[in-house]
Amino acid sequence: GAAFSCGPLVPFLCGSWFGYTMGAWGFWRTECKRMELYAEKYPKLMEHALRSEFRAFADLDGLGEGGESFFSWCQKGGIGRKSW
């Protein structure tokens, strides 16, 4: 780090960015697994929370139609449905 003209700034920035990115990615994976677990165990409660709290923001197209479970609806929706 001392060989750079700007001192240890660049290695610090690179390390900080890498650490934050890995931490955020790990947190995202953990929360997605938790969402899947809750969607399987408590589908009615999760659907109620989605409909009542996020009705203006959530994409509710097809929710509960054709006998599709809440869990499979969340899985098919990609990142948008997993991040609500």
Side-chain angles (χ1 to χ4, degrees):
F4 292 119
S5 64
C6 62
L9 181 62
V10 173
F12 171 76
L13 290 176
C14 292
S16 297
W17 172 81
F18 182 74
Y20 180 81
T21 301
M22 291 295 106
W25 183 62
F27 180 76
W28 173 259
R29 284 187 19 223
T30 303
E31 292 304 310
C32 281
K33 290 191 186 313
R34 183 178 296 170
M35 179 276 304
E36 292 171 355
L37 175 68
Y38 290 168
E40 282 184 308
K41 288 177 84 172
Y42 313 109
K44 298 261 189 217
L45 181 62
M46 295 286 286
E47 183 177 344
H48 171 73
L50 179 66
R51 288 188 184 277
S52 62
E53 294 181 23
F54 299 102
R55 106 185 83 201
F57 305 107
D59 172 25
L60 300 176
D61 297 335
L63 179 57
E65 293 178 0
E68 183 178 27
S69 69
F70 182 74
F71 175 74
S72 62
W73 181 81
C74 287
Q75 290 292 71
K76 289 180 183 176
I79 195 169
R81 291 184 185 167
K82 287 183 179 181
S83 63
W84 64 270

